[in-house]
Amino acid sequence: YRVARGNRIRLEFEDDLELDRDAWHVIRVEHADGRIRVSLGGIGVMRARARAATDEGRAGIWSDGAATAWFDDLQVEDAPERDR
C-alpha cells in the first residue's frame, strides 16, 4: 500500500506465496526515483511505481488483519547513488 492524505491505496497484490510460518524470511523493499521493488528471499514478488512525490526519510511497516510480524534485523538506509 501507499498512503496519501491518510488513505491507503493498494499498489499490487500477491496471494499465491507459500511461506513456512515458523521460519524467518528476508524481505527487501527498494524505493528510488518513484520505483518500488519488493523481494522475498531474493525473489522479486512486486514492482510498482509511486504516483506522487514522497517525502524523503519516511518508512513504515504494517501487518494486515490479525497477522503478526516479528523483525530481527530491521534496517532503513539510503540507496547508494548508483541505484537512485
Side-chain angles (χ1 to χ4, degrees), residues 1-16:
Y1 289 94
R2 73 180 173 93
V3 178
R5 296 186 181 113
N7 297 310
R8 286 186 310 174
I9 301 160
R10 183 181 296 224
L11 294 172
E12 189 172 317
F13 183 77
E14 184 68 49
D15 67 348
D16 62 347

Side-chain angles (χ1 to χ4, degrees), residues 47-59:
R47 286 179 176 244
R49 290 197 69 70
R51 294 184 181 180
T54 58
D55 294 334
E56 291 185 14
R58 294 185 177 188

Side-chain angles (χ1 to χ4, degrees), residues 15-78:
D15 67 348
D16 62 347
L17 297 174
E18 293 183 22
L19 301 173
D20 179 351
R21 64 179 281 170
D22 295 321
W24 287 95
H25 303 282
V26 175
I27 186 169
R28 180 180 179 119
V29 179
E30 299 176 43
H31 186 191
D33 295 331
R35 292 184 320 272
I36 302 167
R37 293 179 291 211
V38 178
S39 62
L40 185 60
I43 299 169
V45 294
M46 187 194 107
R47 286 179 176 244
R49 290 197 69 70
R51 294 184 181 180
T54 58
D55 294 334
E56 291 185 14
R58 294 185 177 188
I61 307 233
W62 174 71
S63 166
D64 191 12
T68 301
W70 295 87
F71 297 91
D72 132 296
D73 186 19
L74 178 64
Q75 299 176 23
V76 178
E77 53 192 54
D78 287 334

